[in-house]
Amino acid sequence: MSEQTQSRKTHNLLKYGFLLLAALVLLLQMFNFKRSMLKSSITYLRHLPLIVESATYWFIPMVFGAVYSKRKLRFNEGFKAWAIMEVTLLAYYLVFFISKPWHLNAWRFWGILFPILTSTSVLMTGLVFGLLVQPVIYDWQEKFSKKQSLIILIALTLLGFTLSAGTFEMNYSIYGLYLALPFAWGMFLGKVDFSVKQTVIFIVAGILSLGLVIVGVAGFNAVYWSQIMSWRANPSSWNYQFLINVTSPFIFIIALAAFAFARPAIKALEAKDLDFLVPLIVFMQVPDADSFMSSFKYGTGSRQLNRMITILIMLAIAIAWHWLIERYLWRFKPVKRVNRFLYESKSFGAAAEGAFNRLWGWMKYHRTNLLTWTFFFILSFASFLVESDNMRIQITTASNVNAAVWLVGTKLGALILTTIFIDALFTILYFVTTRYWVSLITTSTVVIGWAVANKIKLDLRGEPIYPSELSEVTNADSLLSMIGGQKTLIMILLALAAVIALMVFCEVKFKVKKRGNWKRRGMWALASLALFMTPTWFNHQGSAIYRLNRAFDNKQSFRNPERDIQVNGPILNFLNYIDLQIMDKPSNYSKSQIQKLYEKYQKLADQINKTRTNDLSKQTVIFNLSESFIDPYTFPTIKFAKGTKDPIPYIHSLKKTTTYGSMLSAGYGGGTANMEWESLTGFNMGGFSATLTPYVQVVPQYQYYPTIGADFNYSSAVHPFIGTYYSRIEDYKRFKFNKFVYLGSKYKIVDQKKLGTSSYNSDFTTYANGLRQINSRKGGQFINLISIQNHMPYNNWYPKNYYAGKISGDLFDDGSIRTQAATYIMGTHYTDQAVKKFIKQIDKIKKPITMVFYGDHYPAIVSQSYTSKYPVQMHSTRYFIYSNKYARQHGAKAKLTSKTNYVNTSDFIAMMLEQTNSKVTAYQALLTEVHKKLPALTISYSDDTGFTLVDQKGKEVDPKTLTSSQQALLKDYEMIQYDMTAGSAYALKINGFYTMKK
């Protein structure tokens, strides 16, 4: 073997060995070992991953600098690195989104298109910048002697550490500019030959530095926390990890040792070899790399072996990807043109000027399109602002923000998606009319008109325009009378005349050349029509369009219609309601089948009524939704200090004498209207095929919607808070409620009393108004009584909080959580006092009164992530059904004795009817059968759809264990719910099904 051949083999062995080792080091950092190693029992290993990461930030730029130190670069080298990063990101995210489509969002799109602006990879940003400034560094190092260059580099290294004080974090692209320093070090070291003695000295220094930082960080950690605990320092006063910060001189020495050791291999590298490292750097730092790579399982049962397999697979992908890039990327015409242009540029100024001229020329050529799209974005933004309240958006019940700032900062994706739909409308009109200004002005008029129409309805009714209401255009006369009558009509006609005049003027004065030929316009028009079909899949969970839609942050909550239209805009908000996935249609659903069910359960009702003596319409029944009320002792892991008084002693005492137990909630920290809907209708959220809010998505489809209130001659609702939430004002009209008392209604809220610094009316106010309504009528009535006192947030409202400092537990180790819990528990104590006072008051009234009290959901204090560990417990609230003395003296039971431990809100109608000893309708007979013969039915606590069955011990029941008769009963129940939520409401037309025969 010739000496030349042996040298070539050695050269290749060094090169490929180095690239393989570097690849493994980079790929190991895909996994977030920093977090897991912090829990290591070996103190001195806890910060090793951070040391490796910081050293990598030095070592890789040094390698690039050394390889590119041989000549002054052209300006295309930085672009080539950026181009490789860009195509790698495109491929990576394509695989990522296909395998994890729920992670798709607009910000990640920006991360693909603008990786540097979005800080996708700080290390790559530093390398791109280093390559761009390489000519400057090259000239500078040529100007100075080696000794002068060394002094400058050392000074800059020490200065960077001193100025940052060890707090420099590589989390944003701007900080990647610092990596020009290790790049400059690499260029300097690339021109220096290391003797064996120098190499040994550097390696020994690196080992000593490694030992020093491993021991030092642990030691300074102890000092840091000692100072914190003794109040001699605050958490931001200094950084105990300053020795392993990227700017640390010790990290530089470790990287220098690695560089000296690998110096022979680095000398063997060529510029094209470094292209192989770029995808690996992307894999190392791309967002979600840790969770994505850890998600791959190979059936080994070993996490470490899974990681090793993943690393080997990614290494193979990187090799194949490098070959594809080298073979095809630089042949791609746009890339080839940019690369040639930058290569031929003589200076930064020339490159910048040439880039500007080309960009300006492209913008001039496409100026009509660009200006049109810019205008549509402004139009989109304006449509959002129209729906705001004096430029404010209420993002929670307790806070609102500036609309313009919030929309730009958090809803950019929804604004862009709205812009796309506006442009699609314009494209269709342009194809039909072939007139630019006619199409543009018509589109603008439709968008602004639609936004204003929605705002008018918001102000009048507290809800937007729904697709189901478009048929109301036939009632134009009555609609006009609601918004000003003839005056409004005249203003509309004048506005239309002005719009037409503007079209004519613009078409004559500023004629715009047609965009493209008719075939091209036709293709875009067809694509636009296809776009307007996509909303029919917006609510189909799991579909590609569903994921893509949510990627643009178009996320409808269906809980607060006013907030939904403010954050999604009038166009997307309307499109979100086009196709609601409510329930799967039963295979045998028909009018005749509903009639059969009526006949079946009317027979059952007749049997039940033989033993019932009371007429429900002559009772006074109160369904009392107590906001966020639970038994404080049911918080998972909660402990009270020894001797702490029971916060709800009175409610606890009712267990012995009253129907009492746990209610399974369909929400956590929210969803009040869903439980309210269940209680009033007897239907169940677990029957729906998707997450929705019936008050917003179901009830508005009907002119009349049956509730328990329909069995009374008079029904009302009382809520000492804002009445617009969940479309209550309009929905209560559909329930045929005679009155709705709320803040701002024509009925006054009396005895308004707030506790401490809380902004909410107390439960004392709720019951005072409830009592007033009871006393306002002599006969029977139904009252839907909703409190607000214990609504979030729990901001330490009560100055003399007895429970402050008396709470502990595994889920209450955070001080802020303990404070919130203490505030909340003090609130439940006030609720207990208010309930006690109210029950004493109704016991004195000489008419039958029954009160169904229930908490709607858990307060959002303990993180919702724990619901998977405590699914039933964290969805169980307290309920009781109390009948006053007069009711008990006239046939009502004091308490029910079976199936009371765990119930659903939908069981309350059947339970109340049994306790009041009242006769039932066919539907109520069905509810009674469901309550008695099925486990408690509620939403699925493990998935977004489906239901969960819970027995009387609070254990989940497998639906497969239901008997055939139970399954048949469940199907009957589901069919009736389908009929009144997604079907044709056949049962509503049957006399005697929902209400007593007349």
Side-chain angles (χ1 to χ4, degrees), residues 556-564 577 666-675 685 691-697 724-728 864 939:
Q556 197 87 352
S557 72
F558 299 113
R559 292 177 178 174
N560 185 338
E562 184 174 10
R563 181 185 180 276
D564 279 345
Y577 282 90
Y668 179 84
T672 298
N674 292 345
M675 277 60 76
M685 294 297 298
T691 302
L692 52 81
T693 299
Y695 267 21
V696 178
Q697 294 169 285
T724 55
Y725 280 104
Y726 301 105
S727 299
R728 281 193 179 102
Q864 190 170 0
I939 62 167

Side-chain angles (χ1 to χ4, degrees), residues 580-586 666 674 677-678 681-692 694 698 904 906 930 934 936-941 943-949 970-983:
L580 299 178
Q581 295 300 296
I582 298 174
M583 290 184 71
D584 295 329
K585 184 178 180 179
N674 292 345
W677 178 80
E678 285 186 325
T681 65
F683 295 134
N684 195 286
M685 294 297 298
F688 291 130
S689 60
T691 302
L692 52 81
V698 174
N904 184 263
S906 57
V930 168
L934 290 177
L937 178 67
T938 185
I939 62 167
S940 172
Y941 292 147
D943 199 355
D944 290 337
T945 59
F947 60 85
T948 297
L949 296 171
L970 183 58
K971 287 182 179 179
D972 289 348
Y973 180 50
E974 289 176 338
M975 183 172 291
I976 295 301
Q977 181 164 326
Y978 176 84
D979 183 58
M980 201 62 231
T981 56

Side-chain angles (χ1 to χ4, degrees), residues 585-786:
K585 184 178 180 179
S587 58
N588 59 338
Y589 174 71
S590 65
K591 185 176 182 179
S592 60
Q593 188 62 33
I594 296 297
Q595 180 66 32
K596 289 178 182 178
L597 289 180
Y598 162 68
E599 293 169 0
K600 175 181 178 179
Y601 288 102
Q602 184 58 53
K603 290 180 182 178
L604 179 61
D606 293 339
Q607 293 176 8
I608 294 172
N609 291 340
K610 289 178 181 179
T611 61
R612 302 279 179 95
T613 58
N614 284 332
D615 180 351
L616 183 61
S617 66
K618 295 178 180 179
Q619 306 281 317
T620 294
V621 175
I622 306 161
F623 275 22
N624 175 204
L625 185 156
S626 184
E627 173 63 46
S628 301
F629 184 88
I630 67 164
D631 185 335
Y633 289 107
T634 63
F635 272 119
T637 78
I638 196 168
K639 296 176 183 177
F640 289 86
K642 189 176 181 179
T644 303
K645 296 177 183 178
D646 183 350
I648 55 170
Y650 180 74
I651 291 177
H652 281 150
S653 72
L654 295 176
K655 183 176 183 179
K656 298 177 181 178
T657 58
T658 303
T659 304
Y660 180 99
S662 296
M663 186 206 84
L664 297 170
S665 174
Y668 179 84
T672 298
N674 292 345
M675 277 60 76
E676 185 183 340
W677 178 80
E678 285 186 325
S679 71
L680 294 177
T681 65
F683 295 134
N684 195 286
M685 294 297 298
F688 291 130
S689 60
T691 302
L692 52 81
T693 299
Y695 267 21
V696 178
Q697 294 169 285
V698 174
V699 177
Q701 299 179 66
Y702 302 88
Q703 292 299 314
Y704 165 64
Y705 205 86
T707 67
I708 187 61
D711 286 284
F712 297 81
N713 296 323
Y714 191 92
S715 55
S716 63
V718 178
H719 184 34
F721 191 57
I722 302 167
T724 55
Y725 280 104
Y726 301 105
S727 299
R728 281 193 179 102
I729 295 174
E730 288 303 308
D731 284 354
Y732 287 167
K733 292 177 183 177
R734 294 179 175 99
F735 296 162
K736 303 301 181 185
F737 281 8
N738 300 85
K739 180 195 291 187
F740 180 23
V741 184
Y742 60 92
L743 290 178
S745 69
K746 63 181 179 180
Y747 308 103
K748 185 179 180 182
I749 295 289
V750 300
D751 295 338
Q752 293 192 38
K753 179 182 179 182
K754 297 177 174 64
L755 301 175
T757 58
S758 172
S759 60
Y760 299 125
N761 275 314
S762 69
D763 283 352
F764 295 99
T765 300
T766 301
Y767 293 125
N769 284 271
L771 186 66
R772 186 187 191 200
Q773 180 58 38
I774 292 171
N775 293 326
S776 69
R777 298 189 63 80
K778 292 182 179 180
Q781 63 173 311
F782 174 78
I783 304 170
N784 189 39
L785 186 62
I786 311 167

Side-chain angles (χ1 to χ4, degrees), residues 177-432:
L177 303 184
Y178 174 82
L179 300 184
L181 178 60
F183 189 92
W185 267 107
M187 290 181 64
F188 172 77
L189 295 172
K191 300 174 183 177
V192 176
D193 292 323
F194 292 1
S195 66
V196 175
K197 182 179 180 181
Q198 287 173 326
T199 301
V200 171
I201 291 173
F202 287 145
I203 293 173
V204 171
I207 294 171
L208 292 174
S209 293
L210 178 62
L212 178 65
V213 296
I214 287 175
V215 175
V217 172
F220 281 119
N221 183 28
V223 173
Y224 175 82
W225 285 109
S226 175
Q227 290 186 357
I228 296 294
M229 298 302 290
S230 62
W231 301 96
R232 286 179 290 170
N234 62 66
S236 60
S237 59
W238 63 289
N239 176 19
Y240 72 89
Q241 295 183 349
F242 67 92
L243 290 177
I244 54 176
N245 188 261
V246 174
T247 61
S248 169
F250 298 99
I251 293 296
F252 161 67
I253 293 172
I254 293 170
L256 180 61
F259 184 91
F261 178 78
R263 171 68 174 167
I266 295 171
K267 288 183 68 177
L269 294 174
E270 300 176 31
K272 64 179 181 179
D273 297 323
L274 297 182
D275 291 346
F276 170 68
L277 295 180
V278 173
L280 297 167
I281 295 169
V282 173
F283 296 155
M284 166 192 165
Q285 287 200 310
V286 72
D288 303 304
D290 176 29
S291 60
F292 184 43
M293 296 303 169
S294 298
S295 66
F296 292 106
K297 309 296 181 185
Y298 308 100
T300 64
S302 168
R303 189 179 183 185
Q304 288 72 25
L305 186 56
N306 277 336
R307 285 175 169 173
M308 187 179 299
I309 294 172
T310 300
I311 287 172
L312 293 176
I313 291 172
M314 295 305 293
L315 179 60
I317 290 171
I319 293 170
W321 189 243
H322 175 64
W323 179 83
L324 288 170
I325 286 173
E326 291 299 317
R327 186 174 181 86
Y328 296 108
L329 180 61
W330 314 121
R331 298 179 184 178
F332 186 51
K333 284 186 178 180
V335 175
K336 189 176 181 179
R337 283 199 298 265
V338 175
N339 191 45
R340 184 189 303 116
F341 161 69
L342 291 173
Y343 178 82
E344 294 172 353
S345 298
K346 302 297 184 182
S347 65
F348 271 120
E353 183 181 1
F356 176 80
N357 289 337
R358 283 166 172 76
L359 178 62
W360 183 250
W362 180 85
M363 290 175 65
K364 284 179 67 177
Y365 182 78
H366 296 284
R367 62 182 179 275
T368 301
N369 288 340
L370 292 173
L371 290 172
T372 302
W373 292 332
T374 302
F375 173 74
F376 286 157
F377 181 82
I378 295 170
L379 191 63
S380 167
F381 190 54
S383 72
F384 277 70
L385 294 182
V386 168
E387 310 307 330
S388 65
D389 292 323
N390 298 317
M391 292 296 292
R392 307 290 294 181
I393 291 178
Q394 189 174 52
I395 57 172
T396 69
T397 57
S399 62
N400 56 59
V401 296
N402 180 276
V405 174
W406 191 81
L407 288 170
V408 172
T410 63
K411 298 294 291 185
L412 190 60
L415 287 167
I416 292 173
L417 185 58
T418 300
T419 304
I420 292 171
F421 274 101
I422 293 173
D423 184 69
L425 175 60
F426 166 82
T427 301
I428 294 169
L429 291 173
Y430 189 60
F431 176 73
V432 173

Side-chain angles (χ1 to χ4, degrees), residues 948-959:
T948 297
L949 296 171
V950 179
D951 65 18
Q952 290 302 293
K953 294 181 180 180
K955 304 297 182 182
E956 294 190 23
V957 177
D958 188 346

Side-chain angles (χ1 to χ4, degrees), residues 45-153:
L45 294 181
R46 292 176 181 174
H47 299 287
L48 192 58
L50 187 57
I51 294 172
V52 173
E53 181 184 67
S54 297
T56 301
Y57 276 113
W58 266 93
F59 181 72
I60 294 298
M62 288 171 73
V63 171
F64 271 73
V67 173
Y68 283 106
S69 65
K70 301 165 187 175
R71 59 180 176 82
K72 187 175 180 179
L73 297 182
R74 301 278 188 168
F75 294 105
N76 66 316
E77 295 295 341
F79 166 75
K80 289 173 69 176
W82 177 87
I84 296 171
M85 172 174 60
E86 187 68 32
V87 295
T88 304
L89 279 172
L90 283 168
Y92 173 88
Y93 271 119
L94 180 63
V95 175
F96 179 74
F97 293 148
I98 290 173
S99 61
K100 293 181 179 291
W102 54 91
H103 286 293
L104 193 65
N105 62 49
W107 183 249
R108 287 187 170 90
F109 282 131
W110 290 116
I112 296 171
L113 299 174
F114 306 103
I116 293 177
L117 291 178
T118 54
S119 304
T120 299
S121 174
V122 179
L123 181 53
M124 271 310 305
T125 300
L127 291 176
V128 170
F129 181 72
L131 290 168
L132 288 174
V133 299
Q134 191 270 0
V136 178
I137 298 173
Y138 186 89
D139 289 340
W140 163 64
Q141 290 186 348
E142 286 292 311
K143 181 178 180 181
F144 295 106
S145 66
K146 289 184 178 180
K147 185 175 183 179
Q148 290 172 332
S149 295
L150 179 62
I151 292 171
I152 293 171
L153 288 171

Side-chain angles (χ1 to χ4, degrees), residues 817-951:
I817 291 178
R818 287 195 299 272
T819 299
Q820 290 179 61
T823 301
Y824 171 77
I825 292 169
M826 192 67 199
T828 64
H829 179 65
Y830 289 130
T831 298
D832 187 74
Q833 293 177 336
V835 167
K836 182 178 181 180
K837 179 181 177 182
F838 183 61
I839 287 180
K840 284 184 177 180
Q841 290 170 327
I842 63 175
D843 264 341
K844 296 176 182 178
I845 299 174
K846 299 300 181 182
K847 58 181 177 181
I849 303 172
T850 294
M851 173 187 184
V852 179
F853 173 99
Y854 64 99
D856 56 339
H857 53 69
Y858 247 73
I861 295 173
V862 176
S863 172
Q864 190 170 0
S865 61
Y866 290 105
T867 57
S868 59
K869 186 176 183 180
Y870 308 99
V872 174
Q873 186 176 354
M874 290 182 69
H875 286 92
S876 297
T877 69
R878 183 61 64 227
Y879 88 92
F880 66 81
I881 304 176
Y882 180 84
S883 295
N884 73 341
K885 292 179 181 179
Y886 190 88
R888 298 196 301 272
Q889 292 168 357
H890 292 79
K893 298 178 182 180
K895 64 180 297 186
L896 305 180
T897 56
S898 66
K899 297 294 291 289
T900 59
N901 288 343
Y902 283 89
V903 303
N904 184 263
T905 331
S906 57
D907 291 317
F908 287 151
I909 292 177
M911 295 173 74
M912 177 274 295
L913 288 165
E914 183 180 1
Q915 180 153 324
T916 59
N917 198 24
S918 298
K919 296 182 184 296
V920 300
T921 66
Y923 174 62
Q924 291 162 354
L926 169 61
L927 296 182
T928 301
E929 197 80 341
V930 168
H931 170 60
K932 287 184 176 297
K933 294 187 176 180
L934 290 177
L937 178 67
T938 185
I939 62 167
S940 172
Y941 292 147
S942 60
D943 199 355
D944 290 337
T945 59
F947 60 85
T948 297
L949 296 171
V950 179
D951 65 18

